[in-house]
């Protein structure tokens, strides 16, 4: 009995889901230290810093979610001098600060002091229900402005991997933020904004099965392409850290570099669509059914296309039925298929599938 055939079928019907990696700290022991400073900022200072962009409040996947009653209770806590939980900030290379934990609290305070909502649902001082900040007695205003909030700042000389690890440990929401959602906040800037814009393309969403993408899967795929396209030969696992490093190092890419990256992505994506059609980035069975978007295959098809860089006219001339027939043979190769479904972020596996797919594409074009 052919057990391998059974295994291949099981792999296709019941694929192993790619789990988020646990990043083993592969950095020198002397660099694993968390470097912090503690500040007691007044509410007035915090609001000023937010207004001047010295404190950046990243908009994560769920953004600002507190309702007015929750925000009002926080303001009431300031009035009655109830202790406010510590806020964690990350110091950026340009000396600005990004909020790691405390987004809802700081946003609520900033909104209220800017007269964005009236107080509601107060328990201790219901007499203040309906009052905006500017309508409060000046003594209340001064009292709120002078309250202090303890802020722990993770300094910029802390290793990026340590910073990300701390962020994950502080990520205590009811729905945990995944790595790309964390990056969207920690490394927010021109690079992330460009990736977000590219991910909203309807053809890309269809090809990657991210039409209803609520967890930024499409954005992470584009980030993977950027990072691997830049230097896939020197890729080292874990993938999470590899992408973190790329996002941090290129967070403030200039306009020229961002345009270059966008053109490169769009060009290679369009070439893949031209060559593979509906099978782009998809695994499928012998009958060319059960099409399923696969991130590892996305890597292989996009990077191999950028390596060979054929003119679009050459791809238009190729018999597409022959291409898909050859691709079907490749999918039935147990060794190659395994590189798409098992240990997909291991260094050797990443190199194997890119090299093998580049050879496959080169043969198709010969």
């Amino acid at each position: 009995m052919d057990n391998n055939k059974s295994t291949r079928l099981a792999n296709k019907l019941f694929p192993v889901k790619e789990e988020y990696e646990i990043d083993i700290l592969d950095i020198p022991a002397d660099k694993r230290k968390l470097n912090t400073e503690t500040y007691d900022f007044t509410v007035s200072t915090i609001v000023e810093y937010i207004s001047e962009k010295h404190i950046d409040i990243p908009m994560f996947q769920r953004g600002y979610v507190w309702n007015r009653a929750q925000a009002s209770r926080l303001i009431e806590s300031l009035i009655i001098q109830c202790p406010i939980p510590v806020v964690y900030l990350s110091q950026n290379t340009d000396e600005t600060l990004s909020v790691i934990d405390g987004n809802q609290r700081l946003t609520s305070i900033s909104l209220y002091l800017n007269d964005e909502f009236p107080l509601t649902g107060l328990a201790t001082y219901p007499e203040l229900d309906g009052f905006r900040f500017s309508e409060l007695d000046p003594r209340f205003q001064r009292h709120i402005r002078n309250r202090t909030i303890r802020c722990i700042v993770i300094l910029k000389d802390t290793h990026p991997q340590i910073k990300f690890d701390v962020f994950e440990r502080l990520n205590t929401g009811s729905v945990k933020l995944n790595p790309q959602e964390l990056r969207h906040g920690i490394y927010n800037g021109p690079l992330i904004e460009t990736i977000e814009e590219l991910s909203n393309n309807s053809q890309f969403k269809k090809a990657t099965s991210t039409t209803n993408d609520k967890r930024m899967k499409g954005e992470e795929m584009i980030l993977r392409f950027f990072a691997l396209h830049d230097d896939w030969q020197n890729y080292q696992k874990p993938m999470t850290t590899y992408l973190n490093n790329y996002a941090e190092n290129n967070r403030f890419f200039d306009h020229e570099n961002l345009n270059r990256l966008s053109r490169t992505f769009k060009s290679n994506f369009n070439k893949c669509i031209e060559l593979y059609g509906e099978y782009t980035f998809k695994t499928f069975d012998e009958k060319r059914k059960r099409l399923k978007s696969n991130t590892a295959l996305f890597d292989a098809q996009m990077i191999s296309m950028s390596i060979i860089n054929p003119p679009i006219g050459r791809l238009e001339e190729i018999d597409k039925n022959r291409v898909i027939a050859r691709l079907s043979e490749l999918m039935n190769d147990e060794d190659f298929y395994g590189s798409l479904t098992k240990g997909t972020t291991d260094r050797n596996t990443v190199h194997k599938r890119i090299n093998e797919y580049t050879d496959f594409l080169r043969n198709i074009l010969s």
Side-chain angles (χ1 to χ4, degrees), residues 342-363:
K342 293 181 285 188
T344 58
T345 61
D346 288 342
R347 184 177 188 276
N348 290 339
T349 306
V350 170
H351 285 201
K352 172 185 173 60
R353 68 169 172 267
I354 290 177
N355 283 323
E356 289 192 5
Y357 204 93
T358 301
D359 289 341
F360 167 79
L361 181 58
R362 188 174 286 111
N363 289 332

Side-chain angles (χ1 to χ4, degrees), residues 190-233:
L191 176 67
I192 291 294
E193 290 167 4
T194 298
I195 289 172
E196 182 178 15
E197 181 180 348
L198 290 171
S199 72
N200 285 326
N201 178 277
S202 58
Q203 196 172 27
F204 172 78
K205 286 180 174 290
K206 182 178 180 181
T208 56
S209 303
T210 56
T211 302
N212 298 311
D213 189 11
K214 297 180 179 179
R215 303 305 305 273
M216 299 187 180
K217 177 186 176 184
E219 288 189 31
E220 181 167 85
M221 292 174 78
I222 295 174
L223 178 62
R224 282 171 71 126
F225 171 73
F226 283 177
L228 291 170
H229 176 268
D230 187 53
D231 191 24
W232 68 270
Q233 293 93 339

Side-chain angles (χ1 to χ4, degrees), residues 223-282:
L223 178 62
R224 282 171 71 126
F225 171 73
F226 283 177
L228 291 170
H229 176 268
D230 187 53
D231 191 24
W232 68 270
Q233 293 93 339
N234 291 313
Y235 166 78
Q236 295 288 342
K237 70 173 301 186
M239 179 66 77
T240 299
T241 300
Y242 180 73
L243 297 182
N244 290 348
N245 291 339
Y246 184 87
E248 169 146 10
N249 293 337
N250 302 296
R251 179 179 180 182
F252 297 108
F253 248 166
D254 59 32
H255 188 68
E256 182 178 349
N257 273 313
L258 290 174
N259 279 341
R260 174 183 56 80
L261 280 174
S262 294
R263 289 195 302 270
T264 298
F265 172 79
K266 290 176 182 178
S267 173
N268 286 288
F269 174 73
N270 290 335
K271 289 177 181 179
C272 285
I273 292 293
E274 174 61 38
L275 188 60
Y276 308 115
E278 65 176 316
Y279 298 95
T280 305
F281 315 142
K282 304 289 199 309

Side-chain angles (χ1 to χ4, degrees), residues 123-338:
T124 304
Y125 291 117
E127 298 91 341
L128 297 180
D129 274 2
F131 280 81
R132 295 179 184 270
F133 181 74
S134 64
E135 298 168 338
L136 292 173
D137 183 278
R139 288 167 290 184
F140 274 121
Q141 293 179 5
R142 287 191 292 272
H143 179 72
I144 293 172
R145 285 182 183 277
N146 290 334
R147 280 296 311 278
T148 60
I149 296 177
R150 175 145 295 188
C151 298
I152 295 179
V153 178
I154 300 175
L155 300 179
K156 62 184 178 182
D157 58 353
T158 299
H159 193 283
Q161 193 172 339
I162 297 294
K163 274 191 177 184
F164 199 83
D165 181 60
V166 170
F167 201 109
E168 287 187 303
R169 291 168 190 261
L170 293 172
N171 176 24
T172 57
S174 57
V175 178
K176 298 286 187 182
L177 296 169
N178 66 37
Q180 186 59 29
E181 290 168 337
L182 293 176
R183 291 184 200 105
H184 200 271
I186 299 174
Y187 309 124
N188 192 38
L191 176 67
I192 291 294
E193 290 167 4
T194 298
I195 289 172
E196 182 178 15
E197 181 180 348
L198 290 171
S199 72
N200 285 326
N201 178 277
S202 58
Q203 196 172 27
F204 172 78
K205 286 180 174 290
K206 182 178 180 181
T208 56
S209 303
T210 56
T211 302
N212 298 311
D213 189 11
K214 297 180 179 179
R215 303 305 305 273
M216 299 187 180
K217 177 186 176 184
E219 288 189 31
E220 181 167 85
M221 292 174 78
I222 295 174
L223 178 62
R224 282 171 71 126
F225 171 73
F226 283 177
L228 291 170
H229 176 268
D230 187 53
D231 191 24
W232 68 270
Q233 293 93 339
N234 291 313
Y235 166 78
Q236 295 288 342
K237 70 173 301 186
M239 179 66 77
T240 299
T241 300
Y242 180 73
L243 297 182
N244 290 348
N245 291 339
Y246 184 87
E248 169 146 10
N249 293 337
N250 302 296
R251 179 179 180 182
F252 297 108
F253 248 166
D254 59 32
H255 188 68
E256 182 178 349
N257 273 313
L258 290 174
N259 279 341
R260 174 183 56 80
L261 280 174
S262 294
R263 289 195 302 270
T264 298
F265 172 79
K266 290 176 182 178
S267 173
N268 286 288
F269 174 73
N270 290 335
K271 289 177 181 179
C272 285
I273 292 293
E274 174 61 38
L275 188 60
Y276 308 115
E278 65 176 316
Y279 298 95
T280 305
F281 315 142
K282 304 289 199 309
T283 58
F284 50 90
D285 60 21
E286 292 86 347
K287 296 181 180 179
R288 302 185 188 180
K289 295 183 178 180
R290 298 185 183 277
L291 274 66
K292 184 176 178 60
S293 176
N294 182 286
T295 301
L297 183 59
F298 166 84
D299 294 343
Q301 291 186 338
M302 287 288 285
I303 298 301
S304 65
M305 190 66 75
S306 70
I307 291 171
I308 296 178
N309 194 28
I312 190 74
R314 174 73 182 97
L315 301 178
E316 292 171 348
E317 298 170 351
I318 294 178
D319 181 352
K320 302 307 188 297
N321 285 327
R322 183 174 69 87
V323 171
I324 302 307
R326 295 281 298 277
L327 184 57
S328 181
E329 293 175 5
L330 184 64
M331 290 298 168
N332 283 320
D333 182 288
E334 184 178 353
D335 197 34
F336 178 77
Y337 192 82

